[in-house]
Amino acid sequence: MIKNGHHDSKESGGALSHRESPACGPEKRKRVVRVWCDGCYDMVHYGHSNQLRQAKAMGDHLVVGVHTDEEISKHKGPPVFTQEERYKMVRAIKWVDEIVEGAPYVTTLQTLDKHNCDFCVHGDDITLTVDGRDTYEEVKRMDRYRECKRTQGVSTTDLVGRMLLMTKAHHTNMDNSDYQQHAGNLGKGPKGHSPWTGVSQFLQTSQKIIQFASGKEPQAGDTIIYVAGAFDLFHIGHVDFLETVFRQAERPYIIVGLHFDQEVNRYKGKNYPIMNIHERTLSVLACRYVSEVVIGAPYAVGKDLLDHFKVDLVCHGKTEVLPDKDDTDPYAEPKKRGIFRMIDSGNGLTTDIIVQRIIENRLQFEARNQKKEAKEIAVIQALKRREGGEKSRPAAQ
């Protein structure tokens, strides 16, 4: 039972689906509308999740195609995560009903028909092949393409820049010159700046949280499980941990406590967290195993928290439990009550390891993003020239 699983479009804050539209006749409302999305889904973040949330609101059943490592390397450059890691990350997003492993990089009518999808959905940016062609050209031409809004303030380019920047500027002051220099190195092509690859500031709103949250209270018979941490750069290690926690009870209701940025930096140091508290909130809420999030949870899991949420079980991973500010055990209270459990998910991936992957391949990722932006700028310029030519033509008599 997944409390924070698939939602109908009213809950997810999107437009009404074909099935729910009052303008549709009874027969059309019965027909399941299948929607297709595809992509690399490398370093999955809340921007990817928001795209899938919007796509799901346009239909009833969301099918997501994920490209192989080979395809991504051919068209963009090497991915950060392996295809198996990326498949599992996409499966964990609560709006996804089905995934297709090894989906082709170019989306065709044949792909949509093979998986019985009515249309595909992509953000209002552009995806190009190695030779600079729009990967959605065919489905756009045949009117089986729909567009959703790109989430401002996050991109893989931006996240890589934050990881390479060994200061805290990315979550304290976005205008900091060091941050802008790193963002420029990763997101600036030789002739300009692409609106799709560039960096912009993320602004959290209450509406965005509502769109991501389930809004469901625990029911009688549910086992309320509490876990806490940074959950920074929400990744497959977190997913495997939460999935293991989910299996600890027949009817789990998982509450995730997220520590404030200052607290995370206190015990993690360096430039952590890579994502700020608002971004981490959306990332965790998008996971199908999570029921609720406590924003700015206390580091010590004390009596007040346990009593307020009526917690039945507190879980922690196999990572080291660091002491609180006053050098005390943050899990002393749940241990005293006999409701504390160490969880081994079998996945040793950490945020530190991900950052190390990026640092070791820094030049490769910088080159990849500069190449990507150069292609995007060329397309933008071509579109402008075409629009200019159409405007200058005399109207038909």
Side-chain angles (χ1 to χ4, degrees):
M1 180 167 138
I2 299 174
K3 291 283 186 181
N4 207 17
H6 309 310
H7 301 177
D8 62 36
S9 55
K10 291 177 183 176
E11 286 178 314
S12 59
L16 291 175
S17 72
H18 294 288
R19 182 183 56 191
E20 295 171 312
S21 174
C24 294
E27 291 184 6
K28 194 166 187 179
R29 283 201 297 269
K30 289 178 183 178
R31 189 175 73 83
V32 173
V33 177
R34 290 170 63 88
V35 181
W36 173 271
C37 282
D38 57 30
C40 304
Y41 299 102
D42 193 23
M43 289 186 63
V44 171
H45 49 67
Y46 60 91
H48 294 120
S49 300
N50 195 35
Q51 178 218 8
L52 298 175
R53 178 191 69 80
Q54 293 177 80
K56 178 63 182 287
M58 296 182 190
D60 306 296
H61 188 90
L62 180 60
V63 183
V64 181
V66 184
H67 310 316
T68 63
D69 296 342
E70 183 180 2
E71 280 283 271
I72 297 171
S73 296
K74 175 183 173 183
H75 294 281
K76 292 180 66 174
V80 179
F81 290 95
T82 68
Q83 58 198 43
E84 294 302 326
E85 290 172 325
R86 292 183 290 106
Y87 296 155
K88 193 161 190 176
M89 277 299 296
V90 175
R91 280 196 182 94
I93 297 173
K94 65 187 179 185
W95 295 286
V96 176
D97 296 300
E98 179 184 340
I99 84 155
V100 174
E101 299 179 1
Y105 200 80
V106 175
T107 308
T108 63
L109 294 178
Q110 183 181 10
T111 299
L112 297 187
D113 291 341
K114 179 180 178 181
H115 299 285
N116 300 313
C117 290
D118 296 80
F119 53 86
C120 74
V121 177
H122 189 68
D124 53 2
D125 54 355
I126 193 166
T127 304
L128 303 172
T129 63
V130 66
D131 56 0
R133 293 186 61 189
D134 184 350
T135 59
Y136 297 99
E137 183 179 7
E138 181 178 320
V139 291
K140 284 179 179 178
R141 189 171 64 249
M142 302 305 293
D143 195 29
R144 290 178 68 180
Y145 176 86
R146 304 290 183 272
E147 207 163 78
C148 62
K149 290 185 178 180
R150 180 180 179 273
T151 305
Q152 292 297 312
V154 66
S155 67
T156 301
T157 299
D158 180 27
L159 294 178
V160 170
R162 298 187 204 183
M163 283 183 268
L164 294 175
L165 183 64
M166 298 311 290
T167 75
K168 291 174 277 184
H170 54 278
H171 61 81
T172 56
N173 181 7
M174 291 282 288
D175 296 324
N176 180 279
S177 60
D178 289 339
Y179 177 75
Q180 292 299 328
Q181 180 181 353
H182 270 275
N185 288 342
L186 282 151
K188 187 173 290 184
K191 295 183 179 178
H193 199 77
S194 166
W196 303 312
T197 305
V199 176
S200 60
Q201 187 167 6
F202 170 69
L203 299 175
Q204 179 71 289
T205 64
S206 58
Q207 180 63 24
K208 187 62 65 185
I209 295 176
I210 291 168
Q211 289 171 344
F212 272 61
S214 68
K216 293 185 177 180
E217 299 287 334
Q219 303 299 308
D222 289 351
T223 299
I224 301 174
I225 307 176
Y226 181 79
V227 300
F231 290 90
D232 195 15
L233 285 178
F234 195 74
H235 53 72
I236 192 62
H238 297 133
V239 168
D240 282 341
F241 168 69
L242 290 170
E243 184 181 9
T244 306
V245 170
F246 190 84
R247 294 199 300 263
Q248 300 303 304
E250 185 178 345
R251 293 177 53 179
Y253 185 95
I254 299 177
I255 301 174
V256 176
L258 291 178
H259 302 143
F260 276 134
D261 298 341
Q262 296 89 336
E263 188 68 56
V264 175
N265 191 251
R266 177 188 69 80
Y267 63 79
K268 289 278 290 181
K270 298 181 182 177
N271 60 331
Y272 294 115
I274 304 298
M275 284 184 162
N276 65 40
I277 184 68
H278 305 300
E279 297 173 305
R280 291 184 283 121
T281 297
L282 295 186
S283 297
V284 174
L285 281 173
C287 180
R288 65 173 65 252
Y289 304 115
V290 176
S291 305
E292 181 64 283
V293 168
V294 179
I295 303 171
Y299 187 72
V301 183
K303 180 180 183 300
D304 290 345
L305 185 147
L306 296 174
D307 291 345
H308 178 81
F309 292 108
K310 298 180 174 59
V311 176
D312 299 303
L313 180 65
V314 176
C315 294
H316 184 80
K318 286 294 185 180
T319 55
E320 180 185 5
V321 178
L322 299 172
D324 200 354
K325 294 175 184 176
D326 55 1
D327 208 32
T328 59
D329 182 356
Y331 292 104
E333 182 64 23
K335 286 178 180 177
K336 185 175 73 175
R337 298 188 184 195
I339 60 170
F340 179 77
R341 189 176 298 174
M342 295 289 285
I343 299 295
D344 184 3
S345 67
N347 189 330
L349 185 67
T350 64
T351 305
D352 286 327
I353 293 173
I354 295 171
V355 172
Q356 194 58 40
R357 288 186 190 182
I358 295 294
I359 291 173
E360 287 174 356
N361 297 281
R362 171 180 176 172
L363 295 178
Q364 201 172 34
F365 286 114
E366 286 185 354
R368 185 182 85 173
N369 281 291
Q370 288 172 3
K371 181 180 178 182
K372 176 176 181 283
E373 184 167 34
K375 288 194 296 182
E376 290 171 353
I377 291 169
V379 170
I380 292 169
Q381 291 172 343
L383 289 173
K384 286 180 178 178
R385 286 194 298 269
R386 188 168 70 183
E387 288 173 4
E390 289 174 352
K391 287 177 182 178
S392 63
R393 290 175 193 166
Q397 298 298 318

